[in-house]
Amino acid sequence: MEKRNKRMYVGGIVLAVLILAAVGGVGWLRSRLETEVVKTGPAPTLAPAESEGEETIGLNREEISLEVLNGSGVAGAAGKTAQEFEDLGYIIVKTGNAEDTKGNKLYVSSELADRISLLLADVKESLGIESFEVLVDSSASARIILGQ
């Protein structure tokens, strides 16, 4: 009887470890999928839509939410940049770290890609970013990743 209890105890521990590993793996995979991006070319030039006679309307700073992530390895870089953009009027929804990145990057929600001329002007002036890539699966309007 004692041997059977010992086997059940060890089996329970093994099962608990497997469950924790599965949950951790799903969390890791989810975090990787949330940061997936689709590459695009240079930022589009914004001009009136001539075919329908409608003008493309850009967003104000107060309508754009930003994630600012630090991929430069310089402590505090994301916080400093986030404060700079918040002072301009942007909504900062997240600051944090990213994988090491070469150069500064801008990712923009596909729904807003044609209405962010003001953000493009600000990131060009502040960070030297002249183009963007489309951001997939984020609640923010855009993500800035500071690189080395």
Side-chain angles (χ1 to χ4, degrees):
M1 189 70 168
E2 205 173 306
K3 203 174 202 179
R4 182 175 174 213
N5 287 344
K6 189 173 184 181
R7 269 198 254 162
M8 287 180 64
Y9 178 76
V10 170
I13 290 176
V14 169
L15 183 60
V17 169
L18 289 174
I19 290 171
L20 287 174
V23 169
V26 168
W28 176 82
L29 182 60
R30 183 172 178 231
S31 72
R32 299 301 299 166
L33 291 174
E34 287 178 351
T35 59
E36 179 184 340
V37 294
V38 177
K39 298 214 181 249
T40 65
T45 305
L46 301 177
E50 296 175 17
S51 62
E52 297 178 27
E54 296 179 8
E55 192 172 307
T56 302
I57 300 172
L59 295 173
N60 295 323
R61 290 178 175 122
E62 300 80 20
E63 298 174 291
I64 299 174
S65 59
L66 296 177
E67 295 177 356
V68 182
L69 304 178
N70 185 358
S72 70
V74 177
K80 180 181 175 190
T81 301
Q83 186 61 56
E84 178 182 335
F85 280 84
E86 189 172 50
D87 290 347
L88 290 173
Y90 292 96
I91 302 164
I92 306 301
V93 295
K94 179 180 178 181
T95 59
N97 292 318
E99 293 180 12
D100 288 346
T101 304
K102 185 174 182 178
N104 296 329
K105 307 279 185 197
L106 175 64
Y107 301 94
V108 176
S109 168
S110 60
E111 296 86 31
L112 305 176
D114 61 342
R115 298 185 292 154
I116 50 109
S117 57
L118 185 56
L119 175 61
L120 281 173
D122 288 340
V123 296
K124 181 177 181 180
E125 180 180 327
S126 178
L127 303 170
I129 300 172
E130 296 187 8
S131 64
F132 66 89
E133 297 176 24
V134 175
L135 178 63
V136 176
D137 197 20
S138 176
S139 59
S141 304
R143 176 181 297 148
I144 297 170
I145 299 181
L146 304 171
Q148 301 170 351

